[in-house]
Amino acid sequence: MLSILPALLLALSVQASVLTLQSPRLVVTDSTGSQLRSEPLSLSHKVATPVQISGKDTLKVTFQVVDKDGKGVQPHQTFLRFYDEKTNEEGIQPIRVTPGGKAKFDLNLSKPPLSLPPTPNGDPLKVTLLIGSSLYDPLSVELFDLVLPRSQAAPEHPLESTFHPLPEIKHTFRAENKLPPKFISAVAAGVVLAPWAVLLGLWSQVAPKPSRLFSPSILPFILSLGAFEALLFRYWVGLQIGQVLLYGAILTVPTVFAGKQALSSIGNRRLGRK
């Protein structure tokens, strides 16, 4: 356990190491190779004056990535980021770094890289150096502002419209149903209640006396019919059709026997039998 502790401390110290740049410089040359501008770059602040190049000029950025001891390091990822603050267009250009940490980037507008964002308004691009490594802390340095000649606007992507906010959806609710006239409602209610009036009239002709309804032979049948009505009410309140069929099948058996006994009792009394 004690032998592992120094290795862990060493790994943490390596993980916390910081990379830096040695001899960073930008150079602008014309088509003949003559230097138009040459100055060093700083990690603490960007170049005060924007760097401007025309269609025949070449921009060169050179630097060496080193650790705190001055030893060259080859990071896992090294990029130059070109960003337009007004249009939010950006481009990421990978930079090749040698095992000794040396890197060079050339920008010639006669053959611009595909990662270079368009500049239709001539606004400067912010150039930032991004360095990443699993063994060192990441490094992000804003180098300078780059002014390029005006270019054509970026072509619109076929799916550009799908990323824009859509118009607000406004729901239009249907107008409330108009109630029919009271006379029509009264006639409809009378049509619905008419069968019940006929049924009660027929029931008064064949129904047994109230005292007989509570006799031991008829009361079970009335209770079973009441149970069916309660089952239908429960189905309307919260039961499912499968439950209704199951409970109905169970109630059918005693209802059939109770109904047979009630009909036999009524028939015997009609015939004068005991």
Side-chain angles (χ1 to χ4, degrees):
M1 183 64 181
L2 295 179
S3 61
I4 299 178
L5 184 59
L8 293 176
L9 295 177
L10 179 61
L12 292 176
S13 62
V14 172
Q15 184 71 20
S17 298
V18 179
L19 294 176
T20 186
L21 300 182
Q22 188 175 23
S23 303
R25 176 171 290 273
L26 70 88
V27 178
V28 179
T29 59
D30 59 12
S31 58
T32 63
S34 301
Q35 288 190 2
L36 302 177
R37 182 173 180 177
S38 177
E39 60 183 288
L41 300 174
S42 174
L43 300 183
S44 59
H45 59 275
K46 69 177 181 179
V47 177
T49 306
V51 179
Q52 185 172 1
I53 61 175
S54 63
K56 297 182 179 180
D57 299 337
T58 301
L59 170 65
K60 294 184 179 180
V61 178
T62 58
F63 56 88
Q64 184 182 13
V65 183
V66 297
D67 57 14
K68 62 180 181 179
D69 297 328
K71 182 180 178 180
V73 176
Q74 185 181 28
H76 293 89
Q77 294 178 337
T78 305
F79 302 100
L80 277 180
R81 179 179 183 254
F82 303 91
Y83 176 64
D84 190 338
E85 289 183 326
K86 293 186 177 181
T87 62
N88 288 329
E89 294 285 346
E90 71 170 357
I92 302 296
Q93 177 64 37
I95 306 298
R96 182 179 177 275
V97 182
T98 64
K102 294 183 178 181
K104 181 180 69 171
F105 170 71
D106 294 341
L107 176 60
N108 191 339
L109 294 183
S110 61
K111 295 181 179 179
L114 297 177
S115 59
L116 196 65
T119 54
N121 302 322
D123 298 320
L125 301 177
K126 291 187 176 296
V127 182
T128 305
L129 178 64
L130 305 174
I131 298 177
S133 176
S134 61
L135 302 177
Y136 301 90
D137 291 340
L139 181 64
S140 176
V141 182
E142 189 173 343
L143 300 178
F144 52 86
D145 292 340
L146 178 62
V147 179
L148 300 176
R150 292 177 180 270
S151 66
Q152 294 183 354
E156 185 175 349
H157 194 275
L159 300 178
E160 178 73 17
S161 59
T162 60
F163 296 95
H164 293 173
L166 297 178
E168 181 182 358
I169 299 177
K170 296 182 179 180
H171 297 280
T172 302
F173 296 95
R174 186 179 60 184
E176 296 184 358
N177 295 330
K178 296 182 178 180
L179 296 177
K182 294 183 178 181
F183 176 77
I184 302 297
S185 300
V187 172
V191 172
V192 172
L193 297 176
W196 288 97
V198 175
L199 179 62
L200 292 176
L202 296 176
W203 172 259
S204 63
Q205 299 297 325
V206 300
K209 296 180 180 180
S211 60
R212 295 181 180 179
L213 294 177
F214 299 98
S215 63
S217 59
I218 299 178
L219 183 60
F221 180 63
I222 296 177
L223 294 178
S224 61
L225 293 179
F228 266 107
E229 294 295 333
L231 177 61
L232 294 177
F233 176 78
R234 285 292 301 159
Y235 170 63
W236 180 69
V237 171
L239 291 181
Q240 298 180 356
I241 186 64
Q243 296 173 318
V244 174
L245 295 177
L246 175 61
Y247 300 152
I250 296 174
L251 284 176
T252 300
V253 178
T255 303
V256 170
F257 286 101
K260 184 178 179 181
Q261 183 179 359
L263 291 176
S264 300
S265 175
I266 294 175
N268 293 334
R269 292 183 180 181
R270 289 284 184 180
L271 296 174
R273 300 176 183 176
K274 295 183 180 181

